[in-house]
Amino acid sequence: MSEMYVSGQSGIGRLIQALAESGHAVIGPVIRNQALVYDEIDGVEDLPKGWTDLQEPGRYRLEHRGDEKLFGYVVGPASWKQYLSPPEAVVWAGTIGTEGFKSDPVPEPPKYAFFGVRPCELAALRILDNVYTSSNGLPTVAGYTATREKAFIVAVNCSDPGGNCFCVSMDTGPTAKAGYDISITEVVHNGNMRYLLTSGSETGAEVLASIEGLNHASSEEVEAGETVLARAADMMGKRLDTEDLPNLLKGNALNPRWESIADKCLACANCTMVCPTCFCNTVDDNLSLDGEHATRTRKWDSCFTLGFSYMHGQPMRESVGARYRQWMTHKLATWVDQFGEMGCVGCGRCITWCPVGIDITQEVEAIRRGDLRDTHIGVGGYV
Amino acid sequence: MALPKLAVYKFASCDGCQLSILDVEDLLLDIASVVHIANFPEASREVIEGPYDLTLVEGSITTAHDAERIHEIRRESKFLVTIGACATAGGIQALKNWKDTDLFARTVYAHPEYLDTLETSTPVKNHVEVNFELRGCPVDKMALVEVVAAFVQGRRPNIPEYSVCVECKRKGTPCVMVSHGTPCLGPVTQAGCGALCPSYNRGCYGCFGPMESPNTDMLAAAWQGLGVSHRGLVDAFRSFNAYAEPFRITSDHHEALAVAKGE
């Protein structure tokens, strides 16, 4: 096991500084428009110290905690995919001239340090890696691999799970197991804020070793961290029963529950936009008025838009029920066929940021209760 | 080869949408290099006769004369695009569709006998076939350039029909309904404005009209959960796109409830 260090909040500040000094754009949680999002941070003073997020289906509120915690909240509407697979990115641009096409120069991929990545988000990054960079036959997103490989990951274990969290059900948290360079656990020890830091990579170990003023954690401090995380695992706001889930959903393609969800669903696409693993995109080709400059832009899209399934003159998933079914069945069932694991990490974003509070864990339970499995009927009963 | 001829016509409207064409500034020269601006009285007194290859129509139909004129314009136009909330949905002036026009005329004008107006304000598509609708109050000027570019290049314009929420999320703007309980029409409104109001912590006003599959009933229920009355819902759905069918049906429904409950 790698070395466990301990520091106060000043040590966290020196870590942010060290990452910035080694040429990283350090991105971490900050408050914008009454929610926690990710943006560039300069130091520990930019972190939402003393804040927490109250999350319910369709409801999110920031509140003062009444303590000095730097990480006493979970995740907001933003996720790291906005840096690895940006919402809008030029895939290719070029100009036609007398000697044919000339491509516009491709910008250098940015060098990020992602600061405050939660264990469920580490799982989401691993899932995105699997989607975008493995040999699964899908085209890679321009720039993803280069940006991902350069990114330094500082994980933060979750001591205060939120009302819509179910990482324990998805086996992705609340403790980071892999996929980080440095991980942090925040504990209140003898009335003081203490930070346990450990490395998960050689680079992480080098960075930790270079930071002044870190002490080796005592066995008592290590134990305090373990206690916090064990308790967090019992504080999940939600639970998702994954037992035989892929077969359950695939066998219930014609369950009338899909249509009753459609009565509620706005098809606004918020759930897919905030999901840290939803990777659907569309591509717009634009040509300047003079016809000389062409731009191909990739944009986040969603299986909830009609345009997304538009083929041969009509959308293939006309009803909202069919669109919700596609989303949930892909996320929890056919994703397994495609990538060998589920696409859900239990972060609860889709529940919180649904304006009408549709809860994926409740919808799975509803299908499970009214299981009308019929293996003779395939997907496509209604569109 | 002769350039395609462009015409721009105005009906009942504020002129804001056709001014958006002039507002593209530098790109106006590019537009003029790919189409012949043949009939655009707001920009030039020179009018070249039709037929026209591309016609942009602003405004709604509010007079018997205009109801005739739009047919003439259709006959001389190969491709007719309506621009803005007035032309596509009847505009803010469609609020008169719920009221007594005679009463308004008598109240406002000293000599209402000089007025010749229809009882309703209706979108152009209720009168003639429309080839493409560009939404917004006003339209987005770059979307106008895109429509002209797509026409010239013979392709479908890249104009979204999904919700404003998609634009909010792409911009990284947290949801105003979820994070501070501000009622927002974004989930039922078509994108295109760049999610302007939520970026400033305001709810969406629905300037771009109903999105492709608007669930207005459920959004109205969510608004009621935030403390909005039936009367408040009527006011929200009856603005620039009041007469667009999904908004109209929902406002009528809540108006009946408001009356029944004595709001």
PDB file of all heavy atoms in Angstrom, chain B residues 242-262:
ATOM      1  N   ALA B 242     -48.248  32.713 -27.916  1.00  0.00           N
ATOM      2  CA  ALA B 242     -49.490  32.310 -27.257  1.00  0.00           C
ATOM      3  C   ALA B 242     -50.361  31.407 -28.119  1.00  0.00           C
ATOM      4  O   ALA B 242     -51.009  30.498 -27.613  1.00  0.00           O
ATOM      5  CB  ALA B 242     -50.278  33.558 -26.872  1.00  0.00           C
ATOM      6  N   TYR B 243     -50.370  31.686 -29.444  1.00  0.00           N
ATOM      7  CA  TYR B 243     -51.310  30.972 -30.304  1.00  0.00           C
ATOM      8  C   TYR B 243     -50.709  29.689 -30.914  1.00  0.00           C
ATOM      9  O   TYR B 243     -51.367  29.000 -31.673  1.00  0.00           O
ATOM     10  CB  TYR B 243     -51.813  31.920 -31.407  1.00  0.00           C
ATOM     11  CG  TYR B 243     -53.214  31.599 -31.868  1.00  0.00           C
ATOM     12  CD1 TYR B 243     -54.278  31.531 -30.966  1.00  0.00           C
ATOM     13  CD2 TYR B 243     -53.490  31.338 -33.224  1.00  0.00           C
ATOM     14  CE1 TYR B 243     -55.560  31.221 -31.381  1.00  0.00           C
ATOM     15  CE2 TYR B 243     -54.778  31.032 -33.641  1.00  0.00           C
ATOM     16  CZ  TYR B 243     -55.805  30.975 -32.719  1.00  0.00           C
ATOM     17  OH  TYR B 243     -57.077  30.665 -33.129  1.00  0.00           O
ATOM     18  N   ALA B 244     -49.449  29.389 -30.582  1.00  0.00           N
ATOM     19  CA  ALA B 244     -48.866  28.105 -31.004  1.00  0.00           C
ATOM     20  C   ALA B 244     -49.642  27.008 -30.272  1.00  0.00           C
ATOM     21  O   ALA B 244     -49.848  27.104 -29.057  1.00  0.00           O
ATOM     22  CB  ALA B 244     -47.384  28.062 -30.658  1.00  0.00           C
ATOM     23  N   GLU B 245     -50.076  25.988 -30.985  1.00  0.00           N
ATOM     24  CA  GLU B 245     -51.062  25.057 -30.450  1.00  0.00           C
ATOM     25  C   GLU B 245     -50.760  24.491 -29.056  1.00  0.00           C
ATOM     26  O   GLU B 245     -51.624  24.564 -28.164  1.00  0.00           O
ATOM     27  CB  GLU B 245     -51.324  23.929 -31.453  1.00  0.00           C
ATOM     28  CG  GLU B 245     -52.502  23.073 -31.025  1.00  0.00           C
ATOM     29  CD  GLU B 245     -52.882  22.056 -32.081  1.00  0.00           C
ATOM     30  OE1 GLU B 245     -53.448  22.466 -33.097  1.00  0.00           O
ATOM     31  OE2 GLU B 245     -52.605  20.865 -31.879  1.00  0.00           O
ATOM     32  N   PRO B 246     -49.566  23.932 -28.803  1.00  0.00           N
ATOM     33  CA  PRO B 246     -49.357  23.338 -27.465  1.00  0.00           C
ATOM     34  C   PRO B 246     -49.471  24.372 -26.344  1.00  0.00           C
ATOM     35  O   PRO B 246     -50.009  24.078 -25.278  1.00  0.00           O
ATOM     36  CB  PRO B 246     -47.937  22.780 -27.542  1.00  0.00           C
ATOM     37  CG  PRO B 246     -47.637  22.668 -28.991  1.00  0.00           C
ATOM     38  CD  PRO B 246     -48.386  23.775 -29.655  1.00  0.00           C
ATOM     39  N   PHE B 247     -48.990  25.583 -26.598  1.00  0.00           N
ATOM     40  CA  PHE B 247     -49.071  26.635 -25.584  1.00  0.00           C
ATOM     41  C   PHE B 247     -50.531  27.082 -25.424  1.00  0.00           C
ATOM     42  O   PHE B 247     -51.009  27.339 -24.321  1.00  0.00           O
ATOM     43  CB  PHE B 247     -48.186  27.835 -25.957  1.00  0.00           C
ATOM     44  CG  PHE B 247     -46.698  27.594 -25.799  1.00  0.00           C
ATOM     45  CD1 PHE B 247     -46.189  26.325 -25.478  1.00  0.00           C
ATOM     46  CD2 PHE B 247     -45.789  28.642 -25.956  1.00  0.00           C
ATOM     47  CE1 PHE B 247     -44.817  26.116 -25.339  1.00  0.00           C
ATOM     48  CE2 PHE B 247     -44.415  28.441 -25.816  1.00  0.00           C
ATOM     49  CZ  PHE B 247     -43.930  27.177 -25.511  1.00  0.00           C
ATOM     50  N   ARG B 248     -51.246  27.170 -26.545  1.00  0.00           N
ATOM     51  CA  ARG B 248     -52.642  27.623 -26.537  1.00  0.00           C
ATOM     52  C   ARG B 248     -53.510  26.635 -25.750  1.00  0.00           C
ATOM     53  O   ARG B 248     -54.299  27.040 -24.882  1.00  0.00           O
ATOM     54  CB  ARG B 248     -53.144  27.738 -27.985  1.00  0.00           C
ATOM     55  CG  ARG B 248     -54.630  27.994 -28.117  1.00  0.00           C
ATOM     56  CD  ARG B 248     -54.960  28.569 -29.505  1.00  0.00           C
ATOM     57  NE  ARG B 248     -54.390  27.808 -30.604  1.00  0.00           N
ATOM     58  CZ  ARG B 248     -55.030  26.798 -31.218  1.00  0.00           C
ATOM     59  NH1 ARG B 248     -56.221  26.421 -30.837  1.00  0.00           N
ATOM     60  NH2 ARG B 248     -54.448  26.179 -32.227  1.00  0.00           N
ATOM     61  N   ILE B 249     -53.332  25.357 -26.019  1.00  0.00           N
ATOM     62  CA  ILE B 249     -54.166  24.349 -25.348  1.00  0.00           C
ATOM     63  C   ILE B 249     -53.927  24.401 -23.834  1.00  0.00           C
ATOM     64  O   ILE B 249     -54.866  24.367 -23.029  1.00  0.00           O
ATOM     65  CB  ILE B 249     -53.861  22.946 -25.922  1.00  0.00           C
ATOM     66  CG1 ILE B 249     -54.411  22.842 -27.345  1.00  0.00           C
ATOM     67  CG2 ILE B 249     -54.446  21.847 -25.033  1.00  0.00           C
ATOM     68  CD1 ILE B 249     -53.968  21.606 -28.104  1.00  0.00           C
ATOM     69  N   THR B 250     -52.661  24.519 -23.448  1.00  0.00           N
ATOM     70  CA  THR B 250     -52.345  24.532 -22.015  1.00  0.00           C
ATOM     71  C   THR B 250     -52.874  25.800 -21.345  1.00  0.00           C
ATOM     72  O   THR B 250     -53.415  25.747 -20.233  1.00  0.00           O
ATOM     73  CB  THR B 250     -50.820  24.401 -21.811  1.00  0.00           C
ATOM     74  OG1 THR B 250     -50.410  23.177 -22.423  1.00  0.00           O
ATOM     75  CG2 THR B 250     -50.451  24.353 -20.342  1.00  0.00           C
ATOM     76  N   SER B 251     -52.750  26.948 -22.018  1.00  0.00           N
ATOM     77  CA  SER B 251     -53.246  28.182 -21.388  1.00  0.00           C
ATOM     78  C   SER B 251     -54.770  28.151 -21.288  1.00  0.00           C
ATOM     79  O   SER B 251     -55.339  28.594 -20.289  1.00  0.00           O
ATOM     80  CB  SER B 251     -52.755  29.420 -22.137  1.00  0.00           C
ATOM     81  OG  SER B 251     -53.446  29.619 -23.352  1.00  0.00           O
ATOM     82  N   ASP B 252     -55.436  27.599 -22.311  1.00  0.00           N
ATOM     83  CA  ASP B 252     -56.902  27.493 -22.254  1.00  0.00           C
ATOM     84  C   ASP B 252     -57.325  26.592 -21.087  1.00  0.00           C
ATOM     85  O   ASP B 252     -58.257  26.905 -20.353  1.00  0.00           O
ATOM     86  CB  ASP B 252     -57.462  26.913 -23.566  1.00  0.00           C
ATOM     87  CG  ASP B 252     -57.444  27.945 -24.695  1.00  0.00           C
ATOM     88  OD1 ASP B 252     -57.245  29.141 -24.399  1.00  0.00           O
ATOM     89  OD2 ASP B 252     -57.604  27.543 -25.859  1.00  0.00           O
ATOM     90  N   HIS B 253     -56.618  25.493 -20.936  1.00  0.00           N
ATOM     91  CA  HIS B 253     -56.927  24.536 -19.863  1.00  0.00           C
ATOM     92  C   HIS B 253     -56.818  25.207 -18.491  1.00  0.00           C
ATOM     93  O   HIS B 253     -57.721  25.102 -17.654  1.00  0.00           O
ATOM     94  CB  HIS B 253     -55.958  23.359 -19.978  1.00  0.00           C
ATOM     95  CG  HIS B 253     -56.078  22.352 -18.885  1.00  0.00           C
ATOM     96  ND1 HIS B 253     -57.213  21.586 -18.703  1.00  0.00           N
ATOM     97  CD2 HIS B 253     -55.210  21.991 -17.899  1.00  0.00           C
ATOM     98  CE1 HIS B 253     -57.039  20.787 -17.656  1.00  0.00           C
ATOM     99  NE2 HIS B 253     -55.836  21.016 -17.149  1.00  0.00           N
ATOM    100  N   HIS B 254     -55.730  25.933 -18.284  1.00  0.00           N
ATOM    101  CA  HIS B 254     -55.526  26.563 -16.969  1.00  0.00           C
ATOM    102  C   HIS B 254     -56.404  27.800 -16.786  1.00  0.00           C
ATOM    103  O   HIS B 254     -56.734  28.148 -15.652  1.00  0.00           O
ATOM    104  CB  HIS B 254     -54.036  26.842 -16.732  1.00  0.00           C
ATOM    105  CG  HIS B 254     -53.292  25.581 -16.448  1.00  0.00           C
ATOM    106  ND1 HIS B 254     -53.247  24.997 -15.209  1.00  0.00           N
ATOM    107  CD2 HIS B 254     -52.631  24.731 -17.286  1.00  0.00           C
ATOM    108  CE1 HIS B 254     -52.568  23.862 -15.274  1.00  0.00           C
ATOM    109  NE2 HIS B 254     -52.181  23.677 -16.525  1.00  0.00           N
ATOM    110  N   GLU B 255     -56.799  28.415 -17.886  1.00  0.00           N
ATOM    111  CA  GLU B 255     -57.735  29.529 -17.756  1.00  0.00           C
ATOM    112  C   GLU B 255     -59.087  29.010 -17.249  1.00  0.00           C
ATOM    113  O   GLU B 255     -59.696  29.593 -16.347  1.00  0.00           O
ATOM    114  CB  GLU B 255     -57.920  30.245 -19.087  1.00  0.00           C
ATOM    115  CG  GLU B 255     -58.814  31.480 -18.943  1.00  0.00           C
ATOM    116  CD  GLU B 255     -58.750  32.372 -20.158  1.00  0.00           C
ATOM    117  OE1 GLU B 255     -59.074  31.878 -21.263  1.00  0.00           O
ATOM    118  OE2 GLU B 255     -58.361  33.542 -20.001  1.00  0.00           O
ATOM    119  N   ALA B 256     -59.513  27.878 -17.791  1.00  0.00           N
ATOM    120  CA  ALA B 256     -60.780  27.284 -17.340  1.00  0.00           C
ATOM    121  C   ALA B 256     -60.691  26.929 -15.852  1.00  0.00           C
ATOM    122  O   ALA B 256     -61.633  27.170 -15.083  1.00  0.00           O
ATOM    123  CB  ALA B 256     -61.085  26.044 -18.173  1.00  0.00           C
ATOM    124  N   LEU B 257     -59.538  26.384 -15.457  1.00  0.00           N
ATOM    125  CA  LEU B 257     -59.360  26.035 -14.040  1.00  0.00           C
ATOM    126  C   LEU B 257     -59.315  27.285 -13.160  1.00  0.00           C
ATOM    127  O   LEU B 257     -59.873  27.297 -12.056  1.00  0.00           O
ATOM    128  CB  LEU B 257     -58.075  25.216 -13.847  1.00  0.00           C
ATOM    129  CG  LEU B 257     -58.104  23.792 -14.421  1.00  0.00           C
ATOM    130  CD1 LEU B 257     -56.714  23.173 -14.394  1.00  0.00           C
ATOM    131  CD2 LEU B 257     -59.085  22.918 -13.642  1.00  0.00           C
ATOM    132  N   ALA B 258     -58.645  28.331 -13.667  1.00  0.00           N
ATOM    133  CA  ALA B 258     -58.568  29.580 -12.895  1.00  0.00           C
ATOM    134  C   ALA B 258     -59.969  30.154 -12.679  1.00  0.00           C
ATOM    135  O   ALA B 258     -60.305  30.605 -11.580  1.00  0.00           O
ATOM    136  CB  ALA B 258     -57.683  30.595 -13.631  1.00  0.00           C
ATOM    137  N   VAL B 259     -60.793  30.110 -13.734  1.00  0.00           N
ATOM    138  CA  VAL B 259     -62.163  30.618 -13.634  1.00  0.00           C
ATOM    139  C   VAL B 259     -62.954  29.763 -12.636  1.00  0.00           C
ATOM    140  O   VAL B 259     -63.613  30.281 -11.740  1.00  0.00           O
ATOM    141  CB  VAL B 259     -62.845  30.638 -15.029  1.00  0.00           C
ATOM    142  CG1 VAL B 259     -64.338  30.928 -14.889  1.00  0.00           C
ATOM    143  CG2 VAL B 259     -62.175  31.669 -15.923  1.00  0.00           C
ATOM    144  N   ALA B 260     -62.809  28.442 -12.788  1.00  0.00           N
ATOM    145  CA  ALA B 260     -63.563  27.528 -11.907  1.00  0.00           C
ATOM    146  C   ALA B 260     -63.189  27.729 -10.439  1.00  0.00           C
ATOM    147  O   ALA B 260     -64.026  27.583  -9.549  1.00  0.00           O
ATOM    148  CB  ALA B 260     -63.300  26.086 -12.330  1.00  0.00           C
ATOM    149  N   LYS B 261     -61.919  28.061 -10.202  1.00  0.00           N
ATOM    150  CA  LYS B 261     -61.465  28.217  -8.817  1.00  0.00           C
ATOM    151  C   LYS B 261     -61.522  29.667  -8.338  1.00  0.00           C
ATOM    152  O   LYS B 261     -61.060  29.987  -7.245  1.00  0.00           O
ATOM    153  CB  LYS B 261     -60.047  27.667  -8.671  1.00  0.00           C
ATOM    154  CG  LYS B 261     -60.013  26.181  -8.977  1.00  0.00           C
ATOM    155  CD  LYS B 261     -58.751  25.499  -8.550  1.00  0.00           C
ATOM    156  CE  LYS B 261     -58.930  23.998  -8.766  1.00  0.00           C
ATOM    157  NZ  LYS B 261     -57.772  23.217  -8.439  1.00  0.00           N
ATOM    158  N   GLY B 262     -62.055  30.536  -9.182  1.00  0.00           N
ATOM    159  CA  GLY B 262     -62.217  31.931  -8.806  1.00  0.00           C
ATOM    160  C   GLY B 262     -60.917  32.686  -8.615  1.00  0.00           C
ATOM    161  O   GLY B 262     -60.861  33.659  -7.859  1.00  0.00           O
TER     162      GLY B 262
END
